[in-house]
Structures are given as C-alpha cells and as structure tokens.
Amino acid sequence: MHHYFINSHSIGENLTAASFEGYALEAVDTIFREKDVAIMVGGTGLYIKAFAEGLDDIPMVEEAVRKTVLANYAERGITWLQTELEKVDPLYFASGEIKNPQRMMRALEVKLSTGQSILNFQTKEKKPRPFNMVKIGLELPRTELYQRINNRVDQMMAAGLLKEVESLLPYRQLNALQTVGYKELFDYFDGLSNLDRAIDLIKQNSRHYAKRQLTWFKKDPEMKWVDARDPVAAVELVKRYAGIENCQ
C-alpha cells in the first residue's frame, strides 16, 4: 500500500494548508483511478479541513515579513506571538486561536503584509468535492491516551530522535522545525534544560497538542466517534456511510 505525504517534501519548503490541499486532492485523484476508497489519517485539523472543505483565497505574504516573524518567534517564543497579535490584530486575538504557533504566525504574517486580519478573508464557504467523505474520530480514555503519548515519545527517543535533532541544528530556524519534539531538544542543545526535562516537555506538549486536536474535532458535527480499541466499529462506519460492502 502506497503512503502519501511521507518523505515527500523538503524541510526548506514553505508548506501551507493551501499547498497541502492541492497536494492531497491530486493524491486522491491518483488513488481513485485504481481504488474505490482513500484513507486520510492524521491530526492536523486545519489541513484536514483544507482537504475536506477548501480554504479561502488569502493574499500572498511577503517573504521578508515571513522570515522576520519566524525569526522573532524562534528567539522570543509563543508569548511574543500572542503579544504582537493582541497589539496589531485584536480581532484575531479575540477569536481565541492563540495556542497554535503555526496558526498565529500565519495570522501575523497576513496582517503585516496586507494590513487586514486573516479573519476578513475567511468566508467559511465549503468547496464541493467530487467524492463522498466519512469522518471518523478515534477516542480513548484520557489516561490511556496520555500514557500512549508518553510511551511513543520514549520510543522516538530510543529510535534516535536526539541524533536527528542534533543533525538539524543548522536548520533550526525553518518553519517545518517549529514543532513539538524539535523545539524542546533544540533548547537542550542550547543548554536551557537537561535531557530529562526536555523529554518531559515533549511529552507534556504532545499531550496538550492532543487535547487541542480533540477540541477541534469535537466541534465538527460530521465526525463519527468510535472507540479506538474497536477497529471493527470504524470499518462498519465506512461501510454504512459510504455504501461499501467489501471494505476490510
């Protein structure tokens, strides 16, 4: 089975939700030439929304502005982002989307480049898609979910995450590396924390991210929720809503 969006882009590319939308639509078009079902798996709510519903057309951001915002965030962190947005775009700040650095950087870039809030470009009109979709959310008891996250971080460290991050130190300013797992270990290499503390922060920030994911998807009325420990239930949902008899 071929998997898309794995080792498909360079960390130096400026990948956005809009560019992902185009990539994903091309991928499913390729899949549907031979298969009846394509499965998208992931947790980045905005990217999934872009694929399922489309995005509004937002003006291009000046490259100099993007680099300045990214450099300031890398140096000063999320508190700086929140402060800047509250100052220059109180409309966006009041929306409550002030926990996701990627989204906040995007909002700040648009405001500084266009003079308008990114919210002014969002019509919330869904774009039609030439295929049916079934959205399935997998749930676990919170304690089990958090334990799995902790175990996964331990597995990543055992598999060489520390060495990977060390090799990426010369590229640490890139947008693709401003994510959980990299930033905490960059701080470790900078001497801002010891390794045990960095690992604990990866686990903690991953748990916080998972909580935000659940909050995002719980707001989607089209999401069908099933127990992640019961994969048969998910298959039955696909059969029921997609009208597919032979789905395994």
Side-chain angles (χ1 to χ4, degrees), residues 47-54 126-129 131 133 135:
Y47 277 37
I48 293 176
K49 180 181 176 65
F51 169 76
E53 303 176 7
K126 293 184 180 181
K127 295 180 181 178
R129 299 303 191 204
F131 45 80
M133 280 178 277
K135 297 181 181 179

Side-chain angles (χ1 to χ4, degrees), residues 41 60 115 133 198 203:
V41 180
M60 292 289 293
M133 280 178 277
K203 293 177 179 178

Side-chain angles (χ1 to χ4, degrees), residues 1-4 26-39 130-132 242 244 246-248:
M1 179 183 296
H2 180 71
H3 291 74
Y4 292 79
E26 288 184 8
V28 295
D29 182 63
T30 300
I31 294 169
F32 287 147
R33 292 172 191 168
E34 298 182 359
K35 307 289 184 179
D36 293 326
V37 177
I39 301 175
F131 45 80
N132 296 322
I244 299 171
N246 298 314
C247 179
Q248 299 180 352

